[in-house]
Amino acid sequence: MTAHSTDGAGPPGSVARTLDTVFRLESARIIATVARIVRDVGIAEEIAQDALVAALEQWPSEGVPDRPGAWLTATAKHRAVDLVRRRETYARKLAEAGRELTEESHDPEPSGPGDIDDDVLRLIFTASHPLLSAEARTALTLRLVGGLRTDEIARAFLVPEPTVAQRIVRAKRTLAKAGVPFEVPYGEDRAARLGSVLEVIYLIFNEGYAATAGDDLLRPALCEDALRLARVLAALMPKEAEAHGLAALLEFQASRTAARTGPDGEPVLLADQNRRLWNRLLIRRGFAALERAVEQGGALGPYALQAAIAACHARAAAYEETDWARIAALYGMLAARAPSPVVELNRAVAVSMAEGPAEALRIVDALAAEPALRGYHLLPSVRGDLLGRLGRTAEARAEFERAAGLARNERERELLLRRAGELR
């Protein structure tokens, strides 16, 4: 029996908040563990939700368990095994699951990091099956592995929420109907799914690095999960340059986490960050991973190019020493290799530092009609910065205020309003 906290049940609201936090952290592992038993990601997600409901019913009166993640995992596993036993069509899977369960310890948590990684990677590759469209694969995995809500996934895709919801429902139905096995594929099948898997890990990290909504800029647990998965994937596929490229990119980005927010959680712009707070170990890991990507030969892919850009920042001891000309050139290569409005917007920022704000403003103004950037708060934010540097203060202030109106993260909104106020 799982021990419970001796501090009492606590207020229902406090218990609910604790449960929400725990489920965010543990949902991918719970779903992956259950999917290994039931071999259906849709059913696995439903069982994980059942465990969540059970916790909401029991924890307010019994208290929060000392190991809440273990409690949720054990509850979900028991329900999964009960479901398998009740269904004759799952008889063979029950025999397999029974052998696995008897070999496991009674500890409801996985026995080691490798076990966790294996199950979550199986979940990612299953959700990335080529039966699904690229958009459906990514949306489903962000939901199952990243624990993101529909609105957060929609923000990552820059598409309406109903579109994402439909993709997720249809994807789960397709996988169930086809009886897709819960496994990490091998050979050509693995290579065919790699691009989607890399994109999923990248988007999970991005949501953690700059949260779509809420009161906090960062969601460190998502960053840590994505970085861990990127490392495991790179080790699993050592000859894949882009697997190393993504790992390098996330190492570099994660190295800045401690410097990205101030004492009260407010965002700190790159130019103002204390680089002594950057994690040198992660930076060294980033350079090593980037070197492994380059060693595979051939032209650098999109993730390796982004890692090379991040490496330019990591090499600069101070913001003023940044090699913006090289960064602008790398963004040009990235735009040619993987064109997108967001890449072009980032290129404009680099061009503004290398060549001046006037040239960059022409690039940004050309993006104004892009449908994908409609409602994207960073477009008016970048434009406001460029206009301010050109001395067009009133226009700059209006752009920052417009950006603040579009931002859904409270910390970003406060920063944008502060920058608008500084121009008054």
Side-chain angles (χ1 to χ4, degrees):
M1 182 179 295
T2 304
H4 284 68
S5 171
T6 58
D7 295 333
S14 174
V15 172
R17 286 191 295 272
T18 298
L19 179 56
D20 180 67
T21 300
V22 171
F23 194 74
R24 281 266 185 167
L25 294 172
E26 301 292 339
S27 62
R29 297 177 179 89
I30 296 169
I31 293 169
T33 299
V34 173
R36 177 160 47 86
I37 298 171
V38 301
R39 307 288 171 170
D40 185 307
V41 294
I43 293 174
E45 186 183 19
E46 291 175 5
I47 291 175
Q49 291 292 332
D50 287 344
L52 179 65
V53 171
L56 283 170
E57 293 173 347
Q58 297 180 39
W59 291 8
S61 59
E62 299 178 5
V64 177
D66 291 334
R67 300 167 67 201
W71 191 99
L72 289 168
T73 302
T75 300
K77 284 175 70 174
H78 293 157
R79 293 186 181 219
V81 172
D82 287 343
L83 176 65
V84 171
R85 284 176 178 149
R86 287 198 306 268
R87 296 188 176 184
E88 291 182 359
T89 55
Y90 283 119
R92 179 181 55 81
K93 296 177 183 178
L94 173 59
E96 296 173 357
R99 284 195 296 273
E100 291 177 5
L101 291 173
T102 57
E103 292 170 0
E104 292 176 356
S105 69
H106 294 293
D107 187 341
E109 290 187 339
S111 59
D115 294 334
I116 295 174
D117 292 335
D118 286 347
D119 274 348
V120 177
L121 279 172
R122 288 190 189 101
L123 183 59
I124 292 177
F125 273 100
T126 301
S128 300
H129 197 280
L131 277 173
L132 308 176
S133 68
E135 294 82 3
R137 292 196 298 265
T138 308
L140 179 62
T141 313
L142 283 170
R143 173 67 171 269
L144 298 180
V145 182
L148 273 65
R149 301 188 307 271
T150 303
D151 64 316
E152 294 171 333
I153 300 171
R155 175 69 171 79
F157 280 131
L158 302 177
V159 296
E161 290 181 35
T163 301
V164 172
Q166 291 174 2
R167 288 175 184 173
I168 292 171
V169 170
R170 290 171 182 168
K172 288 191 287 189
R173 287 176 181 168
T174 299
L175 293 176
K177 184 177 180 180
V180 171
F182 183 67
E183 63 183 11
V184 175
Y186 294 90
E188 294 181 0
D189 193 16
R190 178 185 292 180
R193 296 196 217 174
L194 179 62
S196 179
V197 172
L198 293 173
E199 183 182 15
V200 164
I201 296 173
Y202 176 71
L203 289 173
I204 291 172
F205 183 90
N206 279 353
E207 178 59 32
Y209 196 68
T212 300
D215 297 330
D216 299 317
L217 178 69
L218 304 176
R219 294 172 61 184
L222 283 182
C223 291
E224 291 167 6
D225 274 350
L227 182 54
R228 173 178 54 80
L229 290 172
R231 290 170 178 168
V232 171
L233 191 63
L236 187 69
M237 309 180 75
K239 299 299 182 183
E240 291 290 344
E242 277 292 79
H244 295 298
L246 178 63
L249 173 62
L250 302 195
E251 299 280 10
F252 285 130
Q253 298 293 77
S255 72
R256 306 180 203 160
T257 300
R260 294 191 66 237
T261 55
D264 297 324
E266 70 279 9
V268 179
L269 297 174
L270 181 63
D272 302 322
Q273 287 178 16
N274 180 357
R275 300 195 173 206
R276 288 175 294 182
L277 296 177
W278 288 9
N279 189 311
R280 307 313 300 182
L281 173 60
L282 294 183
I283 289 174
R284 287 195 296 272
R285 291 182 65 106
F287 280 118
L290 181 56
E291 185 177 347
R292 285 192 290 272
V294 173
E295 287 172 353
Q296 304 311 312
L300 293 181
Y303 296 113
L305 284 169
Q306 291 180 73
I309 291 167
C312 291
H313 292 295
R315 289 190 186 96
Y319 184 77
E320 295 74 20
E321 298 176 18
T322 306
D323 189 348
W324 288 107
R326 174 163 173 74
I327 291 176
L330 287 168
Y331 268 121
M333 295 168 63
L334 180 60
R337 185 73 186 269
S340 85
V342 174
V343 169
E344 194 67 4
L345 184 62
N346 286 327
R347 187 176 76 86
V349 174
V351 168
S352 77
M353 301 303 297
E355 303 177 26
E359 179 61 29
L361 185 59
R362 283 190 281 272
I363 299 173
V364 171
D365 286 346
L367 295 171
E370 284 287 345
L373 296 183
R374 188 176 298 121
Y376 188 53
H377 69 286
L378 293 183
L379 178 62
S381 174
V382 170
R383 193 167 189 274
D385 181 73
L386 298 176
L387 290 169
R389 289 164 58 188
L390 289 169
R392 296 161 61 177
T393 306
E395 294 172 83
R397 183 172 64 249
E399 288 294 279
F400 280 126
E401 289 172 349
R402 185 163 75 92
L406 295 172
R408 297 173 60 189
N409 182 280
E410 187 60 32
R411 294 297 188 176
E412 285 189 295
R413 186 181 298 115
E414 291 171 357
L415 171 65
L416 291 164
L417 289 175
R418 185 169 72 248
R419 295 194 71 186
E422 290 170 352
L423 294 169
R424 291 190 181 279

